[in-house]
Amino acid sequence: MESLVVMINLFGAVALLLFGLAQVRDGATRALGARLRSGLASSTRGSVRSFTSGLAATIALQSSTATALMVASFVERDLIAPAMAQIVLLGANVGTAITAWIVSTGIEWISPLLILVGIIFYRRASTVSKGIGSALLGVGLMLLSLHLLGLATEPLRDSPALGAFIRLLDNAWFVALLFSAALAALSSSSLAVVMLIVSLAAAGALSPGLTVALVLGANLGGALPPVLSTLKAPAAARRVTLGNLLVRAVGCIAALPLAGQIGALLNDLPFSPAIMPVDAHLAFNIALAIIAWPLTPLVSRLMARLIADDPKSEDGPRFLDAQALGTPVVALANATREVLGIGDMIEKMLISCEKAFTTDNLAPLKEVAALEKRVDQLQQEVKIYLSRLGRDTGEVNDRRSIAIIEYAINLEHTGDIIEKGLVEQITKKVSKGLTFSDDGFKELKSLFDMTIDNLRIGQTIFVTGDAGLARQLMEVKVNVRRLEKQSSGRHLERLRDGRPESLLTSSLHLDMLRDLKRINAHIVSVAHPILDEGGLLIESRLRSGAKSEI
């Protein structure tokens, strides 16, 4: 019974430590998430900055796994070079070791204060305050869990069963490494396993050599969760996490035969033997960073050979050539061609909706969701591509880049309106067998045709920058607004006349009018930069007499 109580206390303390780590990670993400991601992405232009950004991000998040997944996603989007990503992860590994060293220096007494302050911050209204409170609460719980771990492992000092198990591991360091690696992988936290090793070492249960072997296993196991999380990710992301695992594995294999000598050396340092595991953890990661740093380009090339490029997908961008980024004019032309393709997809979605509306057949709507997903993906790719152009491309190129991004965003909003508005409304009409009045049907059909024509004009304006067509499109916007008002008015008259088909389809009619009007507003936006540059717009309205100026 006593053994059961000891195990419950031990596992409970470990669970509290993992919960505290999760609270710190969630709190830091909530308080600093956007800044942390943007800072990490922008601080990787040099190797030293890459290393320090990885170290700082991991100390803030209390998770090298979270940092690894974030960096892998950046590499996937070409925001970070693969070699720089490996250096970021070397910094992340050192960050985890520094965190372990700090929390094991006997500051458990401050945990009640941190928990109290964390609760006070968490009860505030702002998101940032809640994030700070959650992080402080997590740190307090982590320190409290270390105190509980010390109490839980104290009875193990005289445990015959633990003694026999430790002796078994002491005679098989490789098995001890694998055992510790499995614990770190299962808990998704090398820090938690190192803290458990600290508690066992403080209880006098571990020899110096075995302590080093277990710490090496915790380091190896900590690299496994990012690999498992990116198994289905693009090749660029998998290369980063697998490269990090390879570096750690080689380091662990090289250090394991020297575990006895390393343990004896650390044991002779003028520090408490109880924190020897965190000393080993920190020393290993610093040494690994120093040795692996110059080899990161080699690791990246090796990963590129081991993991083949993803097969080209039709869903991906066709014209966004990274090699053209050195020539802004060519890169802008490539982005323009890509956005034209997005506009073609929007036209296809509108035609499918009109066909389903006029024929009462839902089959044409089946491809709308897939097209909208591609629109979302491609407009994101265009924004990332143009963001890599830099800031010194010239005023004309800057304006063109902004115009391309704005048009892509408006097309993406149009896709959302089609999928979440028109498709649902047409589906409701067909599935419930509703019919519009002849007048209402003709009005909506006319607005559908006008919207598709306007999109085609907008595509032409986007490429040519023709001011005459831009003015024509702006005038069409006024016509659309007038048509929508007239149709709404006539629909109200039909309702007053008590026409049954109008009563049944009233909300559908008005919703479709509203959504088609919104789509036209997004399409017309392509004319704004051209007319504004020519001084023909005042707060999105045409100047009176502008017609004679063109």
Side-chain angles (χ1 to χ4, degrees):
M1 185 66 182
E2 185 177 347
S3 299
L4 179 61
V5 172
V6 170
M7 296 308 294
I8 290 174
N9 290 338
L10 179 62
F11 290 137
V14 172
L16 184 62
L17 175 60
L18 293 173
F19 180 73
L21 284 168
Q23 288 293 108
V24 174
R25 181 171 62 250
D26 293 344
T29 302
R30 183 183 297 182
L32 305 170
R35 292 184 213 166
L36 203 59
R37 284 189 290 271
S38 61
L40 186 59
S42 61
S43 300
T44 55
R45 304 190 188 279
S47 55
V48 175
R49 291 178 66 184
S50 297
F51 183 85
T52 54
S53 65
L55 187 151
T58 301
I59 291 176
L61 292 172
Q62 297 291 298
S63 173
S64 59
T65 297
T67 304
L69 294 176
M70 200 183 302
V71 170
S73 70
F74 291 156
V75 173
E76 177 187 335
R77 295 183 234 167
D78 289 331
L79 295 176
I80 298 179
M84 290 298 105
Q86 293 298 336
I87 295 176
V88 171
L89 296 187
L90 291 176
N93 298 338
V94 175
T96 300
I98 290 175
T99 301
W101 195 88
I102 291 172
V103 299
S104 63
T105 53
I107 57 173
E108 293 91 343
W109 57 269
I110 204 174
S111 65
L113 176 61
L114 290 174
I115 293 172
L116 175 61
V117 175
I119 290 293
I120 292 173
F121 270 91
Y122 190 79
R123 291 173 68 88
R124 295 189 176 182
S126 72
T127 301
V128 173
S129 294
K130 285 183 177 294
I132 294 172
S134 180
L136 291 174
L137 183 62
V139 173
L141 293 176
M142 286 171 59
L143 296 175
L144 177 61
S145 71
L146 296 181
H147 176 68
L148 295 177
L149 272 174
L151 295 177
T153 54
E154 187 66 28
L156 297 177
R157 189 189 301 266
D158 303 319
S159 170
L162 179 64
F165 182 66
I166 295 298
R167 285 192 295 273
L168 176 65
L169 293 180
D170 216 355
N171 294 322
W173 285 348
F174 185 71
V175 175
L177 182 146
L178 293 179
F179 175 72
S180 181
L183 289 179
L186 289 172
S187 63
S188 293
S189 174
S190 59
L191 179 60
V193 176
V194 170
M195 290 297 96
L196 178 60
I197 297 169
V198 167
S199 300
L200 293 173
L206 305 177
S207 68
L210 178 58
T211 299
V212 173
L214 291 172
V215 168
L216 292 175
N219 276 277
L220 179 61
L224 282 171
V227 174
L228 297 175
S229 298
T230 56
L231 284 177
K232 295 184 179 179
R238 283 183 280 131
R239 288 167 184 161
V240 174
T241 56
L242 188 60
N244 182 50
L245 176 62
L246 177 65
V247 169
R248 286 213 216 181
V250 171
C252 289
I253 292 172
L256 186 60
L258 305 174
Q261 293 91 321
I262 295 172
L265 179 63
L266 293 173
N267 212 31
D268 291 337
L269 293 177
F271 299 116
S272 169
I275 64 169
M276 199 267 275
V278 294
D279 292 337
H281 189 35
L282 183 58
F284 171 76
N285 280 290
I286 291 176
L288 186 64
I290 293 172
I291 296 170
W293 193 322
L295 303 175
T296 51
L298 178 63
V299 173
S300 298
R301 289 195 295 271
L302 177 61
M303 290 301 103
R305 289 186 179 183
L306 291 178
I307 301 177
D309 291 332
D310 295 317
K312 294 291 182 181
S313 171
E314 293 184 359
D315 293 345
R318 297 171 56 195
F319 304 109
L320 303 183
D321 183 7
Q323 295 181 353
L325 289 170
T327 310
V329 174
V330 177
L332 290 171
N334 290 342
T336 299
R337 294 175 71 190
E338 200 68 60
V339 174
L340 280 174
I342 298 175
D344 291 340
M345 287 183 232
I346 294 295
E347 180 181 348
K348 193 172 183 181
M349 293 167 69
L350 282 170
I351 291 173
S352 296
C353 287
E354 184 182 32
K355 187 174 182 180
F357 171 73
T358 56
T359 62
D360 284 336
N361 181 6
L362 295 179
L365 299 181
K366 291 181 179 179
E367 63 177 351
V368 170
L371 287 171
E372 205 279 328
K373 185 177 179 180
R374 287 181 63 190
V375 167
D376 285 349
Q377 176 191 347
L378 290 176
Q379 71 90 20
Q380 185 71 16
E381 295 283 356
V382 168
K383 288 193 295 184
I384 293 171
Y385 181 76
L386 292 178
S387 71
R388 295 167 60 198
L389 270 179
R391 299 180 180 178
D392 301 324
T393 60
E395 184 181 350
V396 174
N397 289 333
D398 285 346
R399 285 202 305 267
R400 181 56 182 167
S401 179
I402 293 170
I404 293 171
I405 291 174
E406 287 179 348
Y407 186 51
I409 291 173
N410 277 293
L411 288 175
E412 190 271 331
H413 288 333
T414 299
D416 287 340
I417 295 170
I418 293 172
E419 184 191 28
K420 297 178 175 63
L422 291 180
V423 169
E424 291 184 5
Q425 293 149 15
I426 295 169
T427 300
K428 182 178 179 181
K429 170 186 179 293
V430 176
S431 61
K432 293 188 176 182
L434 301 176
T435 56
F436 290 97
S437 66
D438 291 340
D439 292 337
F441 180 84
K442 290 177 182 177
E443 291 164 3
L444 288 171
K445 176 69 166 58
S446 174
L447 193 51
F448 256 120
D449 292 337
M450 184 182 293
T451 302
I452 294 170
D453 289 340
N454 289 344
L455 177 60
R456 290 167 179 165
I457 295 172
Q459 292 275 87
T460 303
I461 294 170
F462 177 64
V463 175
T464 64
D466 187 287
L469 279 177
R471 178 182 171 89
Q472 178 185 333
L473 193 60
M474 282 296 295
E475 291 174 343
V476 166
K477 178 182 178 180
V478 177
N479 293 336
V480 169
R481 189 185 299 118
R482 186 182 300 115
L483 180 62
E484 186 257 345
K485 286 183 179 180
Q486 291 174 350
S487 182
S488 297
R490 286 194 290 265
H491 177 70
L492 181 59
E493 291 176 4
R494 290 192 292 271
L495 288 176
R496 287 171 178 167
D497 292 340
R499 296 174 66 171
E501 63 270 30
S502 297
L503 290 170
L504 290 173
T505 60
S506 177
S507 62
L508 274 181
H509 188 102
L510 296 176
D511 287 345
M512 292 184 71
L513 282 176
R514 178 203 63 204
D515 285 343
L516 287 169
K517 176 186 172 184
R518 289 169 62 203
I519 289 171
N520 275 279
H522 284 300
I523 294 171
V524 170
S525 66
V526 72
H528 292 173
I530 299 166
L531 296 175
D532 190 35
E533 186 177 348
L536 304 177
L537 278 184
I538 296 179
E539 296 183 353
S540 299
R541 292 291 186 268
L542 283 168
R543 279 182 176 174
S544 58
K547 183 175 181 180
S548 61
E549 298 176 20
I550 300 177

